[in-house]
Amino acid sequence: MINKNVFSILCAILVWVLGVSFYLLSFYLPLLENPELQSNIVLVLAIIPSACFGTYLFYKNRYMKPAALALTFVAVATLLDALITVPVFIIPHGGRYSEFFGDPMFYTILVEFYFIVLYYGTHLTKPLKA
């Protein structure tokens, strides 16, 4: 049996993969003139069901305080962005770490991600406490 910390990281990786997949797929369906804006809008919307799904998978069999799980998800996503997203998808297209991590949208999405996991986790764990 995988312990809860390792499983929380695996769930966070799954959510990150889903988010990056939606972000990248949005470039293949151009709806707006600004593809970067379009991909950010898609990610902001896609992170909601992705984060809920990852949170649900975690709480299906394990327990951790929702705030701790949310911080784990955010930390893993940030680390994977630094190790994979930026060097593989951003830098080859002329971007830089400073642009990626200096973009206010990055922090907006992180805050959204944290609060979705926190909120959904809190509501999923209420039946466990009863």
Side-chain angles (χ1 to χ4, degrees):
M1 176 69 90
I2 300 173
N3 83 20
K4 69 180 179 180
N5 294 322
V6 172
F7 193 65
S8 69
I9 291 169
L10 292 174
C11 289
I13 291 170
L14 173 65
V15 174
W16 177 83
V17 166
L18 289 171
V20 169
S21 297
F22 279 110
Y23 180 84
L24 294 173
L25 286 173
S26 71
F27 284 102
Y28 293 103
L29 184 64
L31 298 173
L32 302 177
E33 288 182 26
N34 183 341
E36 189 65 33
L37 175 63
Q38 176 180 307
S39 61
N40 281 331
I41 290 169
V42 167
L43 181 56
V44 164
L45 296 174
I47 202 69
I48 297 167
S50 300
C52 291
F53 179 65
T55 305
Y56 170 77
L57 282 178
F58 179 80
Y59 283 117
K60 190 173 174 185
N61 296 312
R62 293 174 181 70
Y63 178 77
M64 177 185 282
K65 289 185 179 182
L69 183 65
L71 285 174
T72 301
F73 276 27
V74 167
V76 168
T78 303
L79 181 65
L80 291 173
D81 281 341
L83 295 175
I84 299 172
T85 305
V86 176
V88 174
F89 302 113
I90 305 299
I91 291 175
H93 295 286
R96 299 186 315 252
Y97 276 97
S98 59
E99 288 175 357
F100 184 84
F101 289 107
D103 186 356
M105 189 55 126
F106 173 77
Y107 297 99
T108 302
I109 292 167
L110 278 184
V111 169
E112 174 196 19
F113 189 25
Y114 175 84
F115 282 110
I116 290 168
V117 175
L118 180 68
Y119 177 82
Y120 195 66
T122 300
H123 288 285
L124 279 175
T125 59
K126 279 185 182 178
L128 297 175
K129 294 177 185 174

